[in-house]
Amino acid sequence: QVVVDCYLPAVEKYNFQVVDLQGKVVAQRSWDNTFIGQQDIDLPLDQLSAGVYFLKIASASAIATHKMVKISP
């Protein structure tokens, strides 16, 4: 499991997607009960292989994409 530390600027629904290099969504989570400020979002990524992925965070007002690297334990 991975904990994503992020700042949510508005109270709205957020969708979190983890996408592999081929563009396939390999994990996702929606979060309706948000509040403004710093948040810790748990994403279940234990089943993913080591490699490069992109985390896409989307709401009605904005989209952000971040590169992440999962390394072997």
Side-chain angles (χ1 to χ4, degrees):
Q1 188 162 354
V2 171
V3 177
V4 177
D5 181 34
C6 60
Y7 179 83
L8 302 180
V11 176
E12 55 188 334
K13 180 179 180 177
Y14 288 87
N15 293 309
F16 297 83
Q17 292 184 329
V18 178
V19 181
D20 66 14
L21 291 176
Q22 286 73 42
K24 179 182 174 191
V25 175
V26 295
Q28 62 184 9
R29 179 172 180 201
S30 294
W31 198 13
D32 295 328
N33 301 322
T34 64
F35 55 90
I36 295 172
Q38 205 66 27
Q39 308 285 321
D40 289 331
I41 312 299
D42 296 325
L43 296 174
L45 303 180
D46 297 335
Q47 77 283 4
L48 296 182
S49 302
V52 177
Y53 298 91
F54 294 95
L55 173 62
K56 179 180 174 184
I57 304 170
S59 70
S61 61
I63 297 174
T65 304
H66 300 276
K67 180 180 171 182
M68 61 183 204
V69 178
K70 182 175 182 192
I71 56 174
S72 298

